Amino acid sequence: MSKRETFLKTVNQKNTEKFLLFIQLHDKAEPFDVEEVVQEMPRDQRQTLWGKLALLLQDVLQELPEESREEGMEAAADPVSSPVCDSYSALLETAHRLHGWSVLESLPVSEAPLQIHILTLCETWWKKSLKEKEKFGRTAFLAALQKSFTLKKPGVEIQRVWSLHDVLLSLDFTSEDNKQATDLLLQCFQFPNFIKNDDGKRFLVFLFSWDVGFVPMIHGTVKNGLEFYSKTRTAHITEIYFRAWKKASGDFLEQIESSCVQDLMRSAILLSRSSPVFDKVRQVIVNYFHKKKSCPRVEKMLYHLYKPVLWRALSAPNFEVRANAALLFAEAFPLHNPEQNCSNMDETIQKQLDTAMVGTLQTMKPLSVS
């Protein structure tokens, strides 16, 4: 009898120890590679192996506490009642049992290697685009996301999160079932390791394209935490905003411009200079977007977004608002649409100068009174 046939015979509850011995040999310098053996198996033997493993797992689950046992059995109910017509239906059943058993949360720390193997199964299932991949991909993605927040060196997990980012495209942003995912995603924008990591930045930029309704939530989270951001972290966030804007189109571009960039412009005008976030808002707008004006697309964007807010602010009743607007205007000047012809461009700039002059004179009035 070949080792392959012997291995196949051990897959049952009576020979569990022998089966585990084969698995242990795979991890040692022994001439038995489980992965290679399974790949070389004929289809019928592979189907037999998955079927036996499903039964072995069922036997193991029967020995667990009642609550965990019920979760495992319920998770496998659908695949069993609706058989999958291909060679891995029994493997799908096994994956469902592990997935629904809540092992990722209930396993003790001593069983961390088993937890990792189950997550690897879920991750591989997603990447191989096997049946019901969305369910397993979601589990692998959320687990990687949660781990990235707790590890001292989360670089590998952040890389895994990025490699699984397409999982989000299968999740419904508006579903209450995905609220946990939404909350975790927003936390990423407050987590320094995500903000400064290259893969983390790629992921955060991608989140601006997940759902149009998610963009204002991102911006709200960033604004609420801006007071606690260091100058360096603010610079990283600004880069993420700019890259997200640069990649966006359609409704996403409109939402980023109105909910994020233009909102920061308003804040730079309306905030008191004593506000703890005033300098950081200006760091985003002036130190980054203004300095990109050499790019025609940025120049056009600044012109259109400033147009509804800046000129009105130059003649606002509040002195500090006028002063903030005048400072922004001086730093952004000239504001024009690069697609205009020369005649229209000159006219636009002249109107801006006239408006700015009036605003400047009004801003100086309180100084003469004092």
Side-chain angles (χ1 to χ4, degrees):
M1 185 181 296
S2 67
K3 272 195 173 183
R4 186 168 62 192
E5 292 173 327
T6 305
F7 169 65
L8 199 57
K9 289 191 67 175
T10 64
V11 188
N12 61 68
Q13 193 174 25
K14 293 180 181 178
N15 294 318
T16 303
E17 291 184 4
K18 291 182 179 179
F19 169 72
L20 293 177
L21 179 60
F22 272 104
I23 301 302
Q24 290 167 0
L25 288 176
H26 173 78
D27 295 329
K28 297 179 180 179
E30 295 287 343
F32 185 80
D33 189 315
V34 175
E35 185 176 350
E36 182 180 318
V37 167
V38 172
Q39 288 176 348
E40 292 177 352
M41 279 183 175
R43 178 173 176 173
D44 58 338
Q45 280 194 343
R46 198 176 296 148
Q47 285 179 307
T48 300
L49 173 63
W50 302 144
K52 285 189 171 187
L53 283 172
L55 291 173
L56 177 59
L57 179 60
Q58 180 176 334
D59 290 338
V60 172
L61 288 173
Q62 292 286 357
E63 298 175 0
L64 294 174
E66 185 176 352
E67 182 179 351
S68 297
R69 183 170 68 245
E70 287 176 357
E71 289 178 359
M73 298 307 174
E74 287 173 3
D78 291 341
V80 171
S81 60
S82 303
V84 181
C85 299
D86 55 43
S87 61
Y88 59 88
S89 58
L91 180 58
L92 175 60
E93 178 185 338
T94 300
H96 267 287
R97 290 189 188 280
L98 291 172
H99 178 271
W101 177 36
S102 300
V103 289
L104 299 177
E105 297 178 2
S106 61
L107 282 175
V109 176
S110 60
E111 297 299 332
L114 174 58
Q115 184 186 67
I116 292 172
H117 285 309
I118 294 171
L119 286 174
T120 302
L121 170 65
C122 293
E123 182 179 352
T124 305
W125 202 281
W126 165 263
K127 291 183 176 180
K128 294 290 185 181
S129 292
L130 301 180
K131 286 186 178 294
E132 302 185 38
K133 67 172 187 175
E134 293 79 10
K135 183 178 295 185
F136 300 105
R138 183 180 185 276
T139 296
F141 175 78
L142 290 179
L145 197 56
Q146 288 171 326
K147 285 180 68 177
S148 69
F149 294 145
T150 58
L151 297 176
K152 290 183 178 179
K153 296 182 178 180
V156 173
E157 286 307 318
I158 292 175
Q159 186 178 34
R160 180 172 286 111
V161 168
W162 170 241
S163 74
L164 291 167
H165 71 276
D166 282 347
V167 169
L168 282 175
L169 301 179
S170 67
L171 302 186
D172 179 5
F173 164 69
T174 61
S175 172
E176 188 65 27
D177 293 338
N178 292 321
K179 189 178 185 307
Q180 177 195 15
T182 303
D183 292 342
L184 288 173
L185 294 173
L186 291 175
Q187 286 181 40
C188 294
F189 288 89
Q190 300 174 324
F191 194 54
N193 285 319
F194 256 99
I195 295 171
K196 66 185 182 182
N197 179 282
D198 287 341
D199 285 326
K201 285 182 182 177
R202 293 186 186 98
F203 180 65
L204 297 183
V205 169
F206 165 77
L207 289 181
F208 280 89
S209 66
W210 177 35
D211 190 282
V212 171
F214 193 53
V215 174
M217 295 177 67
I218 292 174
H219 185 59
T221 299
V222 171
K223 282 190 71 176
N224 288 337
L226 204 56
E227 179 180 352
F228 308 102
Y229 284 14
S230 64
K231 189 173 182 179
T232 302
R233 200 196 306 188
T234 303
H236 286 305
I237 279 289
T238 304
E239 179 191 350
I240 291 165
Y241 267 53
F242 183 78
R243 285 167 56 179
W245 171 81
K246 195 173 179 181
K247 291 183 66 175
S249 61
D251 292 342
F252 287 98
L253 177 61
E254 184 179 341
Q255 187 71 272
I256 290 172
E257 288 186 348
S258 61
S259 296
C260 304
V261 181
Q262 195 173 58
D263 180 68
L264 288 169
M265 289 174 171
R266 287 194 181 92
S267 296
I269 293 170
L270 299 176
L271 280 173
S272 168
R273 297 192 183 189
S274 62
S275 168
V277 299
F278 179 77
D279 288 338
K280 291 169 185 175
V281 169
R282 282 182 48 79
Q283 182 181 344
V284 177
I285 295 299
V286 179
N287 293 0
Y288 204 96
F289 280 90
H290 282 194
K291 289 182 179 179
K292 299 286 185 180
K293 274 187 64 182
S294 57
C295 171
R297 188 183 167 199
V298 176
E299 193 171 31
K300 182 180 178 181
M301 179 266 288
L302 290 174
Y303 170 73
H304 284 296
L305 296 188
Y306 269 131
K307 192 175 180 180
V309 296
L310 187 57
W311 314 124
R312 187 181 303 172
L314 284 169
S315 57
N318 185 284
F319 162 69
E320 195 167 14
V321 169
R322 295 198 307 271
N324 289 345
L327 180 60
L328 272 182
F329 171 76
E331 292 164 330
F333 183 82
L335 286 167
H336 62 85
N337 183 352
E339 297 176 359
Q340 287 180 317
N341 58 44
C342 291
S343 176
N344 290 338
M345 192 177 297
D346 290 342
E347 184 180 345
T348 298
I349 293 174
Q350 186 59 53
K351 285 182 179 179
Q352 290 178 17
L353 287 171
D354 294 343
T355 304
M357 183 62 69
V358 173
T360 301
L361 291 173
Q362 290 178 333
T363 301
M364 293 173 63
K365 286 178 182 179
L367 297 177
S368 60
V369 173
S370 60

